[in-house]
Amino acid sequence: MALITKAIKGTKDVLPSEVYKNQYIESTCLTVAENFGYKEMRTPVFEHTELFQRGVGDTTDVVQKEMYTFDDKGGRSITLRPEGTAGAARSFLENGLSNEALPQKICYLTSCYRYEKPQAGRLREFHQFGIECFGATSPLADAEMIALAKQIFDELGVKDLHLELNSIGCPTCRA
């Protein structure tokens, strides 16, 4: 009987005395994103497994070891989303947002699921805020996204942050 009265390992209840913290972070993220012209999108909690294999990369630890994957009653492989980008990109394509004025600025707050060893600060169910700027060709879009993230951290009162930029290089120099 103890099994049904305990939360599953790697998950966490957010109690009424604490939920205001999550709500504050979420509303700050969404408000800042809206001020930068991002519109909220919501996608399903599960998708076809192939979406994550292709989008996240079938050789990554997330795909090989950490996804909650199962066959539905129709025999299709279904996965609980391990991250938000793949579902947002699928929705962007499926719903014809690429036919609208570009760039399309999308944001999301979503629950994600990864089967990994629970440890301090890392749970099997977690929440992710993300932004995607589809169809932008200028590096200024990247700079804007960095500025958006900085404003979120500033408004949340996060101190002592520094930005480190890196590049994987071009195909020639990467070898």
Side-chain angles (χ1 to χ4, degrees), residues 1 20 40 78 80 93 98 122 132 135-136 138 151 161 174:
M1 196 66 163
Y20 74 94
E40 185 179 4
I78 303 294
L80 296 178
L93 293 171
S98 59
R122 192 178 280 188
E132 311 293 341
S138 169
Q151 186 170 340
L161 291 178
R174 199 172 328 151

Coordinates of all heavy atoms in Angstrom, one line a residue, residues 1 20 40 78 80 93 98 122 132 135-136 138 151 161 174:
M1 N 0.8 -1.2 0.0 CA 0.0 0.0 0.0 C 0.9 1.3 0.0 O 0.4 2.3 -0.5 CB -0.9 0.0 1.2 CG -2.0 0.9 1.1 SD -3.2 0.5 -0.2 CE -4.6 1.5 0.3
Y20 N 3.8 29.4 -5.6 CA 3.9 30.8 -6.0 C 5.3 31.1 -6.6 O 5.4 31.9 -7.5 CB 3.7 31.8 -4.8 CG 4.8 31.8 -3.8 CD1 5.8 32.8 -3.9 CD2 4.8 30.9 -2.7 CE1 6.8 32.9 -3.0 CE2 5.9 31.0 -1.8 CZ 6.8 31.9 -1.9 OH 7.8 32.0 -1.0
E40 N 3.3 32.4 -27.2 CA 3.3 31.0 -26.5 C 2.7 30.0 -27.4 O 1.7 30.2 -28.1 CB 2.6 31.1 -25.2 CG 2.7 29.8 -24.4 CD 2.0 29.8 -23.0 OE1 1.3 30.9 -22.7 OE2 2.1 28.8 -22.3
I78 N 5.8 5.6 -28.9 CA 5.4 6.9 -28.4 C 6.4 7.3 -27.3 O 6.8 6.4 -26.6 CB 4.0 6.9 -27.8 CG1 2.9 6.5 -28.8 CG2 3.6 8.2 -27.2 CD1 2.7 7.4 -30.0
L80 N 7.3 10.2 -24.1 CA 7.1 11.4 -23.4 C 8.2 12.4 -23.7 O 9.4 12.0 -23.7 CB 7.1 11.1 -21.9 CG 6.0 10.2 -21.3 CD1 6.2 10.0 -19.8 CD2 4.6 10.7 -21.6
L93 N 6.0 23.2 -38.4 CA 5.9 22.7 -39.7 C 4.5 22.2 -40.0 O 3.9 22.5 -41.0 CB 6.9 21.6 -39.9 CG 8.4 22.0 -39.9 CD1 9.3 20.8 -39.9 CD2 8.7 22.9 -41.1
S98 N 5.3 28.2 -41.2 CA 6.3 28.6 -42.1 C 5.7 29.4 -43.3 O 6.5 30.1 -44.0 CB 7.1 27.4 -42.6 OG 6.2 26.5 -43.3
R122 N 18.2 17.7 -10.2 CA 17.9 17.0 -11.4 C 16.8 15.9 -11.1 O 17.0 15.0 -10.4 CB 19.1 16.3 -12.0 CG 19.0 15.8 -13.4 CD 20.3 15.2 -13.9 NE 21.2 16.3 -14.3 CZ 22.3 16.0 -14.9 NH1 22.7 14.8 -15.2 NH2 23.1 17.0 -15.3
E132 N 12.1 29.8 -29.5 CA 12.6 29.4 -30.8 C 12.3 30.5 -31.7 O 11.2 31.1 -31.7 CB 11.8 28.1 -31.3 CG 11.7 27.0 -30.3 CD 13.1 26.3 -30.0 OE1 14.0 26.5 -30.8 OE2 13.2 25.6 -29.0
G135 N 13.0 30.8 -38.9 CA 13.1 31.6 -40.2 C 14.0 32.9 -40.1 O 14.0 33.6 -41.0
A136 N 14.7 33.1 -39.0 CA 15.6 34.2 -38.9 C 16.9 33.9 -39.5 O 17.4 32.8 -39.4 CB 15.8 34.6 -37.4
S138 N 19.5 36.4 -39.7 CA 20.5 37.3 -39.1 C 21.1 36.8 -37.8 O 20.3 36.3 -36.9 CB 20.0 38.7 -39.0 OG 20.8 39.5 -38.3
Q151 N 17.6 39.4 -19.6 CA 16.5 40.2 -19.0 C 15.7 39.3 -18.0 O 15.3 39.8 -16.9 CB 15.6 40.8 -20.0 CG 14.6 41.7 -19.3 CD 13.8 42.6 -20.3 OE1 14.1 42.8 -21.4 NE2 12.6 43.1 -19.8
L161 N 26.2 36.4 -13.1 CA 26.2 35.6 -14.3 C 27.2 36.1 -15.3 O 27.5 37.3 -15.3 CB 24.8 35.6 -15.0 CG 23.7 34.9 -14.3 CD1 22.4 35.1 -15.1 CD2 24.0 33.5 -14.1
R174 N 36.7 22.1 -38.1 CA 36.2 21.2 -37.1 C 37.0 19.9 -37.1 O 37.2 19.3 -36.1 CB 34.7 20.9 -37.3 CG 34.1 20.4 -36.1 CD 32.6 20.3 -36.2 NE 32.1 21.3 -37.0 CZ 31.0 21.2 -37.8 NH1 30.2 20.1 -37.8 NH2 30.6 22.2 -38.5

